[in-house]
Amino acid sequence: MEMRAALLYAPRDMRVETCEVAPCGEHDIIINLKKACLCPTDIKKYEAAKPDVEGALKQYGPCILGHEAAGVVVETGSAVTAVKVGDRVAVQPMIYCGTCRHCQEGHTNLCPEVIGVGCSAGGFGDCEKLFVEQGIGGCFATHLKVPEICAMKLPDSLSMEAGSLLEPLADVVHSVDHAQVGPEDDVAVLGLGPMGLLHVIAAKYNGAKSVTVVDLDEKRLEIARRLGADHTINSGKTDPVVQMKALTDGVGANKVFVVPGGPAQAILTAQAMDMVAKGGTVSLFSSSPTGADDFTVSINRIHYSMINFTGTVGFGTAHAEKAIEMLASGCFDYTLIRNKELPLSQINEAVALYGKGDNLKIGLDLEA
Ligand SMILES: [Zn+2]
Ligand SMILES: [Zn+2]
């Protein structure tokens, strides 16, 4: 079986080529992927912003990025029971060991052995090895061979475009559910990239009393409003901490999410600690770029105000099932977030456009 795939040869050198799909092992499936999305994780690898990437590419040869996608199962191994040929599925990208303490307790996202489809988690070299030795690559391709644990069945009513948003939405459901957002909560979401906007939807879905969003970009604040945000704060025009307190009778927000990584993360985290209510939760959603891990936390703020300071990574089956339920319910217009799509053949253009202008989640049509 042949496929078309975007092969990353070296930093910023990605070429769409035809290559062989690896044979399907007894616990594996092959998915004919239809739609995908780009993620900042892919951009970081494309730019080799992490030092291990370039070395691994030299050692093992090209890899295939991408971990957000949906498609149709076209082949199953003899021992596969979870799905059958013809099933519509989204990719669950975490390949975990299943036997360690975290896996046994159902926290497969914390498995120390985890390797992510499309080099999305674990060591980059380990992901490359998986591709070279077993042909398990990434989603920027027409076909993907993966273990059956990597398939989440989609209802017939769900489009492939919506299915390609399952992975990011499941991450956000985990974030919002871990902070136990419910009807009592005044929620604040700091940073309105695609993941910040998904936080608005997930918080509203959980019945949050109010959701306030903070960003510098008026257009993104407006999209958040259309997705259900109750209040918007333009942090370029007004002090978000003062504003948040004013909106909550001086108490602050109970649940505060710091969504982006990158240079803004430390500043936003400090703001979050200042605007969170006593007894409230500050949760960090994104990883920090290498070398920017340090952040000074006020011990007394945590102690006297009983602040829960936490974060989340990845997701579990229950979060994915809830994400599918949300997508299938039509509770939000996903085209406000996945607001551009390019063909696989133009993947380099898609990467260049990521995060620029009005583009939010950039989708890929893998059949074009
Ligand atoms: Zn992602
Ligand atoms: Zn494990």
Side-chain angles (χ1 to χ4, degrees), residues 96-104 107-108 110-114:
Y96 44 85
C97 79
T99 55
C100 73
R101 179 171 166 177
H102 300 294
C103 284
Q104 291 284 306
H107 301 133
T108 51
L110 297 178
C111 177
E113 306 286 321
V114 82

PDB file of all heavy atoms in Angstrom, residues 96-104 107-108 110-114, ligand 2:
ATOM      1  N   TYR A  96       1.076   4.335  24.961  1.00  0.00           N
ATOM      2  CA  TYR A  96       1.551   4.171  26.339  1.00  0.00           C
ATOM      3  C   TYR A  96       1.833   2.685  26.603  1.00  0.00           C
ATOM      4  O   TYR A  96       1.415   1.820  25.834  1.00  0.00           O
ATOM      5  CB  TYR A  96       0.530   4.729  27.332  1.00  0.00           C
ATOM      6  CG  TYR A  96      -0.899   4.336  27.015  1.00  0.00           C
ATOM      7  CD1 TYR A  96      -1.417   3.123  27.459  1.00  0.00           C
ATOM      8  CD2 TYR A  96      -1.713   5.161  26.242  1.00  0.00           C
ATOM      9  CE1 TYR A  96      -2.716   2.750  27.157  1.00  0.00           C
ATOM     10  CE2 TYR A  96      -3.011   4.790  25.926  1.00  0.00           C
ATOM     11  CZ  TYR A  96      -3.505   3.588  26.390  1.00  0.00           C
ATOM     12  OH  TYR A  96      -4.791   3.217  26.070  1.00  0.00           O
ATOM     13  N   CYS A  97       2.497   2.416  27.766  1.00  0.00           N
ATOM     14  CA  CYS A  97       2.923   1.027  28.005  1.00  0.00           C
ATOM     15  C   CYS A  97       1.767   0.144  28.480  1.00  0.00           C
ATOM     16  O   CYS A  97       1.740  -1.044  28.212  1.00  0.00           O
ATOM     17  CB  CYS A  97       4.084   1.000  28.995  1.00  0.00           C
ATOM     18  SG  CYS A  97       3.602   1.179  30.725  1.00  0.00           S
ATOM     19  N   GLY A  98       0.820   0.724  29.208  1.00  0.00           N
ATOM     20  CA  GLY A  98      -0.322  -0.054  29.689  1.00  0.00           C
ATOM     21  C   GLY A  98      -0.056  -0.852  30.955  1.00  0.00           C
ATOM     22  O   GLY A  98      -0.983  -1.424  31.540  1.00  0.00           O
ATOM     23  N   THR A  99       1.200  -0.912  31.398  1.00  0.00           N
ATOM     24  CA  THR A  99       1.511  -1.764  32.555  1.00  0.00           C
ATOM     25  C   THR A  99       2.087  -0.997  33.746  1.00  0.00           C
ATOM     26  O   THR A  99       2.086  -1.515  34.859  1.00  0.00           O
ATOM     27  CB  THR A  99       2.536  -2.856  32.166  1.00  0.00           C
ATOM     28  OG1 THR A  99       3.686  -2.212  31.611  1.00  0.00           O
ATOM     29  CG2 THR A  99       1.955  -3.811  31.132  1.00  0.00           C
ATOM     30  N   CYS A 100       2.582   0.218  33.576  1.00  0.00           N
ATOM     31  CA  CYS A 100       3.181   0.959  34.697  1.00  0.00           C
ATOM     32  C   CYS A 100       2.068   1.406  35.657  1.00  0.00           C
ATOM     33  O   CYS A 100       0.886   1.279  35.372  1.00  0.00           O
ATOM     34  CB  CYS A 100       3.979   2.163  34.198  1.00  0.00           C
ATOM     35  SG  CYS A 100       2.973   3.534  33.609  1.00  0.00           S
ATOM     36  N   ARG A 101       2.474   1.932  36.799  1.00  0.00           N
ATOM     37  CA  ARG A 101       1.507   2.333  37.819  1.00  0.00           C
ATOM     38  C   ARG A 101       0.510   3.382  37.285  1.00  0.00           C
ATOM     39  O   ARG A 101      -0.689   3.294  37.514  1.00  0.00           O
ATOM     40  CB  ARG A 101       2.257   2.886  39.025  1.00  0.00           C
ATOM     41  CG  ARG A 101       1.318   3.334  40.104  1.00  0.00           C
ATOM     42  CD  ARG A 101       2.024   3.679  41.367  1.00  0.00           C
ATOM     43  NE  ARG A 101       1.095   4.409  42.213  1.00  0.00           N
ATOM     44  CZ  ARG A 101       1.381   4.822  43.424  1.00  0.00           C
ATOM     45  NH1 ARG A 101       2.555   4.571  43.935  1.00  0.00           N
ATOM     46  NH2 ARG A 101       0.493   5.477  44.118  1.00  0.00           N
ATOM     47  N   HIS A 102       1.031   4.387  36.549  1.00  0.00           N
ATOM     48  CA  HIS A 102       0.153   5.443  36.025  1.00  0.00           C
ATOM     49  C   HIS A 102      -0.868   4.867  35.042  1.00  0.00           C
ATOM     50  O   HIS A 102      -2.053   5.213  35.087  1.00  0.00           O
ATOM     51  CB  HIS A 102       0.978   6.543  35.354  1.00  0.00           C
ATOM     52  CG  HIS A 102       1.943   7.213  36.274  1.00  0.00           C
ATOM     53  ND1 HIS A 102       1.523   7.989  37.340  1.00  0.00           N
ATOM     54  CD2 HIS A 102       3.285   7.228  36.305  1.00  0.00           C
ATOM     55  CE1 HIS A 102       2.587   8.450  37.979  1.00  0.00           C
ATOM     56  NE2 HIS A 102       3.657   7.997  37.384  1.00  0.00           N
ATOM     57  N   CYS A 103      -0.389   3.996  34.150  1.00  0.00           N
ATOM     58  CA  CYS A 103      -1.295   3.381  33.175  1.00  0.00           C
ATOM     59  C   CYS A 103      -2.354   2.540  33.894  1.00  0.00           C
ATOM     60  O   CYS A 103      -3.539   2.594  33.568  1.00  0.00           O
ATOM     61  CB  CYS A 103      -0.519   2.516  32.187  1.00  0.00           C
ATOM     62  SG  CYS A 103       0.372   3.468  30.940  1.00  0.00           S
ATOM     63  N   GLN A 104      -1.898   1.758  34.903  1.00  0.00           N
ATOM     64  CA  GLN A 104      -2.821   0.897  35.645  1.00  0.00           C
ATOM     65  C   GLN A 104      -3.888   1.727  36.359  1.00  0.00           C
ATOM     66  O   GLN A 104      -5.017   1.292  36.519  1.00  0.00           O
ATOM     67  CB  GLN A 104      -2.042   0.060  36.667  1.00  0.00           C
ATOM     68  CG  GLN A 104      -1.150  -1.003  36.030  1.00  0.00           C
ATOM     69  CD  GLN A 104      -1.926  -2.209  35.531  1.00  0.00           C
ATOM     70  OE1 GLN A 104      -2.674  -2.819  36.270  1.00  0.00           O
ATOM     71  NE2 GLN A 104      -1.782  -2.534  34.262  1.00  0.00           N
ATOM     72  N   HIS A 107      -4.177   6.771  34.318  1.00  0.00           N
ATOM     73  CA  HIS A 107      -3.553   8.040  33.919  1.00  0.00           C
ATOM     74  C   HIS A 107      -2.484   7.759  32.858  1.00  0.00           C
ATOM     75  O   HIS A 107      -1.292   7.987  33.070  1.00  0.00           O
ATOM     76  CB  HIS A 107      -2.957   8.754  35.131  1.00  0.00           C
ATOM     77  CG  HIS A 107      -3.980   9.045  36.190  1.00  0.00           C
ATOM     78  ND1 HIS A 107      -3.776   8.779  37.526  1.00  0.00           N
ATOM     79  CD2 HIS A 107      -5.229   9.543  36.096  1.00  0.00           C
ATOM     80  CE1 HIS A 107      -4.870   9.118  38.205  1.00  0.00           C
ATOM     81  NE2 HIS A 107      -5.752   9.584  37.358  1.00  0.00           N
ATOM     82  N   THR A 108      -2.967   7.269  31.715  1.00  0.00           N
ATOM     83  CA  THR A 108      -2.047   6.878  30.648  1.00  0.00           C
ATOM     84  C   THR A 108      -1.251   8.083  30.132  1.00  0.00           C
ATOM     85  O   THR A 108      -0.154   7.911  29.594  1.00  0.00           O
ATOM     86  CB  THR A 108      -2.819   6.235  29.488  1.00  0.00           C
ATOM     87  OG1 THR A 108      -3.900   7.109  29.135  1.00  0.00           O
ATOM     88  CG2 THR A 108      -3.395   4.894  29.893  1.00  0.00           C
ATOM     89  N   LEU A 110       0.307  10.109  31.858  1.00  0.00           N
ATOM     90  CA  LEU A 110       1.499  10.294  32.689  1.00  0.00           C
ATOM     91  C   LEU A 110       2.507   9.158  32.523  1.00  0.00           C
ATOM     92  O   LEU A 110       3.525   9.122  33.211  1.00  0.00           O
ATOM     93  CB  LEU A 110       1.094  10.418  34.165  1.00  0.00           C
ATOM     94  CG  LEU A 110       0.219  11.628  34.514  1.00  0.00           C
ATOM     95  CD1 LEU A 110      -0.148  11.602  35.990  1.00  0.00           C
ATOM     96  CD2 LEU A 110       0.928  12.931  34.181  1.00  0.00           C
ATOM     97  N   CYS A 111       2.241   8.221  31.643  1.00  0.00           N
ATOM     98  CA  CYS A 111       3.132   7.078  31.445  1.00  0.00           C
ATOM     99  C   CYS A 111       4.541   7.556  31.078  1.00  0.00           C
ATOM    100  O   CYS A 111       4.708   8.317  30.129  1.00  0.00           O
ATOM    101  CB  CYS A 111       2.585   6.187  30.316  1.00  0.00           C
ATOM    102  SG  CYS A 111       3.681   4.800  29.939  1.00  0.00           S
ATOM    103  N   PRO A 112       5.566   7.110  31.835  1.00  0.00           N
ATOM    104  CA  PRO A 112       6.924   7.566  31.510  1.00  0.00           C
ATOM    105  C   PRO A 112       7.439   7.019  30.182  1.00  0.00           C
ATOM    106  O   PRO A 112       8.399   7.532  29.627  1.00  0.00           O
ATOM    107  CB  PRO A 112       7.764   7.054  32.689  1.00  0.00           C
ATOM    108  CG  PRO A 112       6.966   5.971  33.316  1.00  0.00           C
ATOM    109  CD  PRO A 112       5.524   6.246  33.029  1.00  0.00           C
ATOM    110  N   GLU A 113       6.796   5.968  29.690  1.00  0.00           N
ATOM    111  CA  GLU A 113       7.234   5.349  28.426  1.00  0.00           C
ATOM    112  C   GLU A 113       6.524   5.945  27.217  1.00  0.00           C
ATOM    113  O   GLU A 113       6.703   5.464  26.090  1.00  0.00           O
ATOM    114  CB  GLU A 113       6.916   3.845  28.448  1.00  0.00           C
ATOM    115  CG  GLU A 113       7.466   3.080  29.627  1.00  0.00           C
ATOM    116  CD  GLU A 113       8.960   2.882  29.517  1.00  0.00           C
ATOM    117  OE1 GLU A 113       9.425   2.626  28.401  1.00  0.00           O
ATOM    118  OE2 GLU A 113       9.650   3.023  30.547  1.00  0.00           O
ATOM    119  N   VAL A 114       5.673   6.940  27.444  1.00  0.00           N
ATOM    120  CA  VAL A 114       4.785   7.375  26.370  1.00  0.00           C
ATOM    121  C   VAL A 114       5.560   7.873  25.142  1.00  0.00           C
ATOM    122  O   VAL A 114       6.596   8.531  25.258  1.00  0.00           O
ATOM    123  CB  VAL A 114       3.794   8.457  26.887  1.00  0.00           C
ATOM    124  CG1 VAL A 114       4.434   9.839  26.911  1.00  0.00           C
ATOM    125  CG2 VAL A 114       2.528   8.474  26.043  1.00  0.00           C
TER     126      VAL A 114
HETATM  127 ZN    ZN B   2       2.666   3.264  31.300  1.00  0.00          ZN
END
